[in-house]
Amino acid sequence: MATTDVTAPHVALFPCAGMGHLLPFLRVAAMLASRGCTVTIITAQPTVSAAESDQLSSFFAIHPQINRLEFRLLPYKKSKFTNEDPFFIQIESIVNSVHLLHPILSSLLPSLSAIVADFPVISSISQLAIDLSISLYIVITTSARFFSLMAYLPRLAHDNYPKRNDCIEVPGLGPIPVSNIPPPMLNPNHFFSENIRSNVLSLNKVKGILINTFNWFESEAIQALSSSSSGVAPLLPVGPFESFEIGKAHNLPWLDEQTPESVIFISFGSRTALSKDQIRELGTGLEKSGCKFLWVLKTSKVDKDDKDDRDEILGESFLERTKEQGLVVKGWVNQEQILAHPAIGGFVSHCGWNSVIEAARLGVPILAWPQHGDQKVNAEVVEKAGLGLLVGDWGWGGEKLVDKNEIADKIKELMLGKNTTRAKEVKEKARHAREINGTSEGLLRGLIDSFQSKE
Ligand code: UDP
Ligand code: UDP
Ligand code: UDP
């Protein structure tokens, strides 16, 4: 049964589309609930992926004190954008349905102290928050570095966008090569850039910005965003967000048999599928590296469509040859548990921000192979913090076929180098941030106090 403590602040959390957004929101929900808040999570239905609906079911099963508010979306209406990405389409549907939340939220008991929403819906939810006299906070699910770039976007004149070989100077960050900025962000007619622009312009309606990072890890960007000239509401780097499934047993006996720090983990997150050719090239690269590996294979953007057979894509002879060396799994795994496993000594990651911050929290060095969106800028953070190595210029996802020998060389460089020592230092810094007198924990407690004050 959900808590109805009338003295506790009641907070509604409203995540957008995709596991990369849902998981950090669920982590914030659990962190607030364990610190005395009454929490309601608004879950847009239907979800895009099966992973999201499965995650929601298991989350509410282990957190019976947290309320679930199912929010049925209006059917998708074709918009002015030629939008084919199912996650972006979901964001548009959410934006078009937000007005339906008014009567639902106004009738919640105890009445709400705050709404904590996802960045892509700020401009649509801010009026609702004003009408209901509820404070609006947001969670940013990308790095402070990429968020700085997002916040800077409206200042770039449409007709004067930089060219691919240029750099953008975001105040306080130093130059960011345009080749690291996702092309849709510099295309004023793309949903991605339009959504960022309109929401950045609504940031002044937000009371505080929770972000899954910590001072030591991204001090430069945090400082830049916190300066009065950034035009951004108070930034609350309260990360790394805590895991909500601590102690849950994993089911990978193969991993338990491996020696400490000997296995490289390969995953490109919840919505990035490599091409079949690139998958085979990666397989051969792993084999050639001679390193032990655990590889989560994904062949389509949305898991419900992922019908390809592992053995067919990789070939039975590959699987036979590598059966001692590695394990290839298809389907959802618990990445945090894998990264926490003593046998894991490295992580080939697309640098989705959740993956980066999990690796930081668990002290696993990254071989950064960014593919889309914010990932190249996130990879800059990985390199700057010394959490790992960047691949060379391997292009955007699908732009070129990266050769097996290059992949093998980089994997060996990561696994044979001295990267784990530095990664463990990062882990220590992350742990400090979350301690009772750490920077992140302090901000989180302050936030909960501010939920109680109405102004
Ligand atoms: N994840 C997982 N198991 C998987 C794939 C992904 O647990 O099989 C988690 C991962 O730990 C991370 C999130 O899903 O928390 C993916 O978010 P990220 O920002 O890394 O990348 P995205 O999926 O948004 O590209
Ligand atoms: N994409 C992805 N993960 C991300 C960002 C983008 O899978 O984190 C997808 C995106 O939805 C698109 C493709 O990768 O289908 C190429 O994305 P990009 O943003 O580079 O360009 P678009 O094709 O959307 O113009
Ligand atoms: N984002 C956005 N509008 C969109 C899609 C994404 O503002 O239409 C934001 C998103 O909230 C995230 C950042 O842009 O903070 C990077 O998004 P991307 O899709 O690249 O990665 P995701 O976090 O969704 O995996």
Side-chain angles (χ1 to χ4, degrees):
M1 272 307 275
T3 325
T4 47
D5 176 359
V6 285
T7 59
H10 183 188
V11 184
L13 301 192
F14 187 23
C16 245
M19 283 303 270
H21 291 251
L22 180 61
L23 279 171
F25 267 83
L26 295 181
R27 288 172 187 155
V28 170
M31 285 159 67
L32 292 176
S34 69
R35 288 163 181 78
C37 297
T38 299
V39 177
T40 295
I41 305 177
I42 304 165
T43 63
Q45 300 291 326
T47 61
V48 179
S49 61
E52 289 163 272
S53 50
D54 293 349
Q55 184 65 70
L56 284 166
S57 308
S58 67
F59 179 85
F60 287 107
I62 57 173
H63 293 96
Q65 80 283 22
I66 296 181
N67 307 292
R68 175 172 191 167
L69 197 165
E70 294 223 9
F71 178 41
R72 196 139 285 277
L73 299 178
L74 294 172
Y76 178 62
K77 275 206 312 273
K78 189 112 197 57
S79 73
K80 63 177 179 172
F81 302 104
T82 31
N83 203 349
E84 277 161 19
D85 184 303
F87 296 95
F88 288 180
I89 287 175
Q90 178 85 341
I91 293 174
E92 285 201 270
S93 299
I94 294 175
V95 165
N96 291 332
S97 308
V98 156
H99 62 281
L100 300 175
L101 281 174
H102 189 293
I104 306 174
L105 296 188
S106 65
S107 62
L108 283 184
L109 286 173
S111 59
L112 288 174
S113 316
I115 303 177
V116 182
D118 211 343
F119 175 83
V121 300
I122 309 174
S123 58
S124 46
I125 207 165
S126 53
Q127 190 55 45
L128 183 67
I130 293 170
D131 293 346
L132 295 171
S133 311
I134 305 171
S135 307
L136 176 63
Y137 293 80
I138 57 165
V139 175
I140 289 293
T141 55
T142 184
S143 53
R145 189 170 179 83
F146 192 74
F147 181 53
S148 304
L149 195 60
M150 288 161 66
Y152 190 67
L153 191 67
R155 298 197 212 171
L156 287 172
H158 267 184
D159 51 359
N160 193 21
Y161 272 166
K163 303 283 171 295
R164 188 153 176 157
N165 295 330
D166 296 347
C167 282
I168 291 189
E169 288 279 347
V170 180
L173 284 197
I176 297 185
V178 170
S179 56
N180 283 356
I181 298 174
M185 195 168 176
L186 298 180
N187 172 359
N189 301 318
H190 198 288
F191 172 74
F192 188 70
S193 69
E194 176 52 33
N195 183 274
I196 293 177
R197 182 179 294 276
S198 65
N199 289 310
V200 164
L201 294 174
S202 298
L203 278 174
N204 57 356
K205 306 198 175 90
V206 164
K207 199 167 169 194
I209 302 171
L210 286 82
I211 184 163
N212 191 7
T213 192
F214 54 107
N215 255 330
W216 180 88
F217 198 46
E218 284 199 89
S219 55
E220 189 185 44
I222 289 171
Q223 219 168 13
L225 284 163
S226 305
S227 86
S228 52
S229 60
S230 73
V232 163
L235 190 77
L236 304 169
V238 293
F241 294 171
E242 289 163 357
S243 169
F244 54 77
E245 287 189 317
I246 300 162
K248 195 176 159 196
H250 71 90
N251 186 23
L252 287 167
W254 178 85
L255 200 55
D256 296 335
E257 289 163 17
Q258 309 306 319
T259 51
E261 295 173 9
S262 66
V263 178
I264 188 153
F265 175 59
I266 302 100
S267 171
F268 294 88
S270 67
R271 53 177 289 207
T272 299
L274 302 184
S275 70
K276 303 261 163 67
D277 287 344
Q278 189 63 78
I279 286 172
R280 284 187 277 265
E281 212 66 19
L282 171 55
T284 318
L286 283 166
E287 188 180 3
K288 277 176 170 265
S289 76
C291 297
K292 296 270 181 156
F293 63 84
L294 172 55
W295 179 10
V296 188
L297 182 61
K298 195 173 155 57
T299 55
S300 69
K301 187 184 284 183
V302 178
D303 52 8
K304 292 170 189 160
D305 308 329
D306 206 336
K307 307 219 164 33
D308 287 298
D309 185 61
R310 178 195 73 154
D311 300 19
E312 241 166 66
I313 297 169
L314 290 170
E316 277 170 27
S317 65
F318 170 84
L319 293 166
E320 182 57 32
R321 287 197 310 276
T322 57
K323 69 172 189 267
E324 302 289 323
Q325 190 190 344
L327 189 64
V328 185
V329 293
K330 271 200 85 190
W332 191 258
V333 298
N334 188 321
Q335 178 171 298
E336 280 187 311
Q337 282 175 3
I338 292 175
L339 291 175
H341 195 287
I344 297 294
F347 180 17
V348 177
S349 173
H350 72 316
C351 294
W353 187 247
N354 296 289
S355 293
V356 169
I357 210 83
E358 286 160 20
R361 184 167 61 75
L362 297 163
V364 181
I366 289 181
L367 176 59
W369 186 357
Q371 304 282 331
H372 297 293
D374 55 348
Q375 297 155 16
K376 285 194 181 218
V377 172
N378 296 345
E380 291 178 9
V381 178
V382 170
E383 195 184 35
K384 273 172 181 283
L387 182 62
L389 309 176
L390 267 182
V391 299
D393 182 13
W394 287 1
W396 290 103
E399 223 174 30
K400 50 176 143 176
L401 185 67
V402 181
D403 178 73
K404 50 188 170 301
N405 294 309
E406 273 188 74
I407 298 172
D409 287 348
K410 279 291 174 186
I411 288 175
K412 279 192 283 191
E413 191 182 332
L414 183 81
M415 293 303 275
L416 305 176
K418 303 254 176 298
N419 301 293
T420 42
T421 316
R422 173 66 180 179
K424 281 181 187 145
E425 273 171 44
V426 176
K427 176 181 178 173
E428 265 308 283
K429 298 291 183 188
R431 198 177 57 76
H432 282 316
R434 279 253 63 86
E435 276 172 349
I436 191 76
N437 53 359
T439 52
S440 298
E441 188 58 29
L443 286 169
L444 186 63
R445 304 264 169 190
L447 171 71
I448 294 170
D449 290 344
S450 75
F451 287 152
Q452 324 255 35
S453 75
K454 272 277 170 190
E455 68 296 343

